[in-house]
């Protein structure tokens, strides 16, 4: 099992400490507890085929699926989501998607603050090495 409650707890501890370092306050989200990100319910709105919105990388839609275990039949398995959107209302909010991409840890980020005609939520790999490395260590 690539993801479990212990790893989820370790990520929560890391995000709390890292958020303080970054002078940001992060909350955890999942498909039943979404962050309202400029009117888009994340992660629910971009999972599976829930709505017209799609997660996209490099302007290409991806098939993003929620996974409690980090295992599944898809390439992009979302295991956790963190955002500071609920703690500040600026146009500099962050949403991090913690993904296992073909089994490898990948931290995707969006700061998108407006819609687009494709209805894509544009994601890219975070440039923050501390965050990437922490998630990789937690996944193991």
């Amino acid at each position: 099992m690539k993801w479990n409650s212990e790893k989820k707890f370790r990520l929560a501890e890391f995000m709390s400490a890292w958020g303080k370092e970054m002078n940001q306050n992060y909350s955890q989200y999942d498909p039943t507890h979404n962050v309202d990100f400029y009117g888009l319910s994340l992660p629910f709105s971009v999972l599976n085929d829930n709505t017209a919105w799609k997660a996209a990388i490099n302007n290409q839609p991806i098939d993003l699926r929620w996974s409690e275990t980090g295992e599944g039949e898809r390439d992009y398995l979302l295991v956790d989501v963190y955002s500071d959107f609920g703690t500040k209302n600026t146009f500099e909010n962050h949403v991090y998607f913690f993904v296992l991409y073909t089994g490898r840890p990948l931290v995707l980020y969006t700061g998108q603050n407006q819609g687009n005609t494709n209805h894509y939520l544009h994601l890219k790999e975070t440039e923050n090495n501390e965050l990437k490395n922490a998630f990789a260590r937690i996944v193991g």
Side-chain angles (χ1 to χ4, degrees), residues 4 7 38 51 59 91 93 99 101 118 122 124-126:
N4 57 36
K7 291 177 181 184
Y38 304 109
T51 68
N59 214 31
F91 285 104
N93 295 106
V99 172
Y101 172 65
N118 292 331
H122 293 283
K124 64 180 180 178
E125 185 175 12
T126 182

Side-chain angles (χ1 to χ4, degrees), residues 57-116:
I57 298 174
N58 295 325
N59 214 31
Q60 296 297 312
I62 62 171
D63 185 10
L64 185 65
R65 302 289 169 143
W66 184 261
S67 175
E68 295 288 334
T69 62
E71 296 171 334
E73 299 296 316
R74 301 292 194 253
D75 288 343
Y76 292 92
L77 299 173
L78 182 61
V79 297
D80 224 334
V81 175
Y82 278 84
S83 178
D84 61 350
F85 195 85
T87 61
K88 63 179 185 174
N89 291 315
T90 69
F91 285 104
E92 295 178 16
N93 295 106
H94 308 86
V95 177
Y96 291 100
F97 282 39
F98 293 86
V99 172
L100 294 173
Y101 172 65
T102 62
R104 297 186 318 266
L106 176 65
V107 181
L108 298 174
Y109 158 81
T110 187
Q112 180 176 323
N113 60 24
Q114 56 188 331
N116 54 72

Side-chain angles (χ1 to χ4, degrees), residues 52-54 59 116-120 122:
W53 282 84
K54 283 279 190 199
N59 214 31
N116 54 72
T117 56
N118 292 331
H119 292 219
Y120 288 169
H122 293 283

Side-chain angles (χ1 to χ4, degrees), residues 34-55:
N34 291 275
V35 61
D36 181 352
F37 192 66
Y38 304 109
L40 194 59
S41 294
L42 296 179
F44 181 81
S45 292
V46 294
L47 290 175
N48 312 335
D49 296 316
N50 289 331
T51 68
W53 282 84
K54 283 279 190 199

